Amino acid sequence: MPQGDMPLPGKVQVPVRCSSARVTSMKPEIREELFRLFEAQNPNPETELEYSSTYTLLVAVVLSAQATDVGVNKATGPLFAVADTPEKIVALGEAKVRDYIKTIGLYRTKAKNVIALSQQLLTQHGGKVPQSREALEALPGVGRKTANVVLNVAFGEETMAVDTHIFRLSNRLGLAPGKTPLEVELKLNKRIPKAYRQHAHHWLILHGRYICKARKPECPACYVSDLCSFKAKTTMEAPTAKVPAKPKARPKKRG
């Protein structure tokens, strides 16, 4: 993922927080320009979860709850090498699935859900991942956010999966302020220009993950900083020059 302009040579990035204030709601023309720049920077964004089918995507997204994509990929690589279909996962069994994913948070519950959703796919959907939101959310371990990711990535629907990054950016930038993920999601669906809705989910996640971070946003490296009304932006300052110490006087030679 491109991370915008690099810091200027000879300068050190030092987070400097200004006084915080309420962010004003972003105007339509600014939203249009925001997503135009996102597209110019990364025309075809993709999920960082590794998968080879709609089924392995579903499993990976279920496992990614309260976990990093990097951590999930480390676990699913070996798992999917031996079991990458509902039939194979069910045959593998919960105990062995648990062993493969034990490095991921909540792995015991997730192992149960992976087995249960795989069984449900076999008994109710012929082993295929359904394309409807209702059917997806009826699967064990699958909520609205997971369903939105699968619908967007696997089936190309213009859904918005609001994770911690998107929730933060929507409020910080004034893009779609809201108190709950659902409120933010519904506002984003209305406010994001139609032409950009397909990839908006990924652009916002990646921007939040690598640039507009929670504690120390990298504002000097942000290519949409001019469009952002966030008051507590970080800035870049040149390091304070050190005055070299005076050399000690050499002792005079005698005689």
Side-chain angles (χ1 to χ4, degrees):
M1 166 66 182
Q3 298 189 29
D5 297 332
M6 296 300 291
L8 297 173
K11 290 193 174 184
V12 176
Q13 186 173 329
V14 181
V16 177
R17 296 204 175 275
C18 308
S19 59
S20 60
R22 269 189 166 182
V23 176
T24 56
S25 185
M26 188 175 281
K27 295 180 180 180
E29 60 270 23
I30 302 299
R31 295 199 297 266
E32 180 83 30
E33 179 64 8
L34 177 75
F35 285 97
R36 188 193 69 77
L37 290 174
F38 280 152
E39 182 179 53
Q41 185 76 5
N42 188 2
N44 297 296
E46 297 180 348
T47 178
E48 293 186 325
L49 290 171
E50 296 173 358
Y51 67 97
S52 59
S53 65
T54 304
Y55 172 72
T56 53
L57 170 67
L58 172 63
V59 172
V61 178
V62 168
L63 296 179
S64 70
Q66 298 183 43
T68 65
D69 288 0
V70 172
V72 171
N73 291 338
K74 287 181 179 178
T76 56
L79 172 62
F80 292 157
V82 298
D84 58 356
T85 66
E87 295 89 348
K88 291 178 181 179
I89 285 288
V90 171
L92 192 62
E94 184 181 325
K96 288 187 178 178
V97 169
R98 191 167 59 237
D99 287 340
Y100 277 105
I101 67 170
K102 61 186 177 183
T103 56
I104 302 174
L106 306 174
Y107 70 95
R108 295 180 186 277
T109 299
K110 290 177 179 178
K112 290 181 181 179
N113 286 336
V114 167
I115 292 294
L117 73 83
S118 299
Q119 291 172 331
Q120 194 163 314
L121 288 176
L122 292 170
T123 58
Q124 297 183 18
H125 302 286
K128 304 295 183 181
V129 176
Q131 191 172 346
S132 79
R133 176 185 299 283
E134 293 73 21
L136 283 170
E137 291 187 21
L139 296 171
V142 178
R144 185 178 182 87
K145 183 175 72 173
T146 296
N148 279 339
V149 173
V150 174
L151 289 171
N152 178 264
V153 177
F155 299 113
E157 296 191 16
E158 295 174 351
T159 52
M160 180 60 60
V162 178
D163 71 345
T164 181
H165 298 300
I166 293 182
F167 186 79
R168 181 177 69 254
L169 260 66
S170 296
N171 281 283
R172 180 180 281 175
L173 275 63
L175 182 60
K179 295 182 179 180
T180 67
L182 180 57
E183 183 182 357
V184 169
E185 177 190 336
L186 297 177
K187 284 186 177 181
L188 286 172
N189 287 336
K190 291 180 179 179
R191 296 184 178 187
I192 295 174
K194 173 71 174 174
Y196 301 108
R197 288 179 194 165
Q198 175 66 46
H199 295 313
H201 159 242
H202 285 120
W203 284 323
L204 291 172
I205 284 180
L206 295 172
H207 193 70
R209 183 175 293 167
Y210 294 110
I211 297 179
C212 198
K213 301 174 183 178
R215 294 186 179 181
K216 295 181 180 180
E218 298 186 7
C219 302
C222 179
Y223 53 91
V224 297
S225 181
D226 291 346
L227 305 177
C228 172
S229 60
F230 182 51
K231 301 300 181 183
K233 289 181 181 178
T234 58
T235 60
M236 186 182 296
E237 291 183 350
T240 303
K242 292 184 178 180
V243 179
K246 292 182 179 180
K248 294 182 179 180
R250 293 182 181 180
K252 294 181 178 180
K253 292 183 179 181
R254 294 184 179 179

